[in-house]
Amino acid sequence: MKKTNKILIAVSIFLVSLCLFIAYGTNVLRFYQNGSLANEPTLPIGSRMLVSSLIKPKKLDFVIYTYGDSLFGKGKRIHRLVGTPGDTIVIKKGVVFVNGNNIDAKLILAHGYSIPSETAIKIREQLIPITYDGLPYYESTNDTVMVFMSQNIATKNKLENFRLSQSINDYDHKIFSTYNQKWNIHHFGPLILKKKEYFVLGDNRDNSEDSRYIGVINKSQLIGKAVSF
């Protein structure tokens, strides 16, 4: 190989490496691996995606954002963007409304169900894991167990009526500590988002620590939109 060609190849490799370094360092383009069960069934745990700060996320896009607390420290999370500045968020009987519009009707979500133990054993492989080690359900009683499954699986197995639902009077203490309101995950709001405030939710609605618990996401926390998964 001629010396000139070697120099051109070396320069090309250097420039490509430099571009990738700049892109990664500025969030222009990043790789992200989902480490959460919060967005099942849409984003299975372990799924990979590209994240870019160059594309402005729209409602119902998945976004990556920074979040930290005293228990887990600072890290990155991914959830679906459902509310932007000026929007009004209301959850009624587990259905999410944004400015009066039912956004859940556009999505395939997962929810919690209390079903007969025998049924849970039969459809074990169709259930969303409860925990990261793959356990499929929580023991409730000798006859019933609590599971998470997608709406499609619930419909397929005629289990829609077994979906869990909290009473409007049964408020969540963690949500109360965040919003100072007696809300729960199935009865929430109205919450009006202020300037630079965003509201995110997981598709696995009953097993997701999202804006219902941790509060709204500030614009400065947003890293970018998931552009490929």
Side-chain angles (χ1 to χ4, degrees):
M1 184 181 293
K2 293 182 180 180
K3 184 177 181 179
T4 303
N5 291 339
K6 290 182 179 179
I7 293 174
L8 287 174
I9 292 173
V11 171
S12 298
I13 293 173
F14 172 77
L15 290 176
V16 170
S17 300
L18 180 62
C19 289
L20 290 174
F21 176 78
I22 294 174
Y24 188 82
T26 58
N27 294 321
V28 171
L29 186 66
R30 278 178 177 261
F31 292 99
Y32 181 84
Q33 183 171 6
N34 178 36
S36 170
L37 295 167
N39 297 300
E40 296 270 3
T42 317
L43 295 182
I45 189 168
S47 55
R48 299 172 183 271
M49 61 208 75
L50 294 173
V51 180
S52 176
S53 61
L54 292 179
I55 304 175
K56 184 179 180 180
K58 303 186 298 294
K59 282 191 184 114
L60 302 186
D61 286 340
F62 282 101
V63 293
I64 308 290
Y65 62 95
T66 59
Y67 174 76
D69 57 28
S70 58
L71 182 61
F72 296 105
K74 189 176 181 179
K76 299 178 182 66
R77 290 187 175 186
I78 181 169
H79 282 112
R80 192 184 291 276
L81 177 63
V82 300
T84 55
D87 287 342
T88 299
I89 310 295
V90 176
I91 303 176
K92 297 179 180 179
K93 297 181 179 180
V95 179
V96 179
F97 296 87
V98 179
N99 302 325
N101 299 312
N102 178 358
I103 66 163
D104 287 359
K106 303 177 182 179
L107 306 170
I108 300 298
L109 304 170
H111 300 283
Y113 297 80
S114 181
I115 66 176
S117 301
E118 292 184 359
T119 302
I121 294 172
K122 291 179 181 178
I123 65 171
R124 179 188 181 103
E125 299 303 318
Q126 303 175 57
L127 301 176
I128 296 170
I130 294 288
T131 57
Y132 300 117
D133 54 11
L135 294 177
Y137 47 74
Y138 287 120
E139 296 288 348
S140 298
T141 69
N142 291 332
D143 300 320
T144 64
V145 294
M146 177 187 171
V147 304
F148 297 120
M149 71 179 109
S150 73
Q151 296 168 231
N152 288 347
I153 297 301
T155 300
K156 175 183 176 181
N157 291 280
K158 299 180 180 180
L159 297 170
E160 302 100 315
N161 293 335
F162 291 87
R163 180 176 164 183
L164 296 173
S165 179
Q166 289 183 290
S167 166
I168 193 172
N169 298 316
D170 184 19
Y171 77 93
D172 188 292
H173 291 275
K174 188 170 184 178
I175 294 176
F176 181 81
S177 68
T178 300
Y179 292 99
N180 197 31
Q181 297 286 345
K182 292 186 176 182
W183 300 335
N184 60 49
I185 61 173
H186 296 144
H187 298 275
F188 184 100
L191 174 69
I192 301 175
L193 299 177
K194 300 176 184 177
K195 186 178 180 180
K196 297 183 179 181
E197 290 185 342
Y198 296 81
F199 196 88
V200 297
L201 289 174
D203 281 8
N204 193 359
R205 286 289 168 77
D206 294 347
N207 192 22
S208 173
E209 188 181 47
D210 45 43
S211 282
R212 293 169 295 180
Y213 292 109
I214 66 175
V216 297
I217 305 303
N218 191 275
K219 185 177 181 180
S220 62
Q221 295 175 257
L222 292 177
I223 295 175
K225 170 188 172 180
V227 295
S228 177
F229 50 86

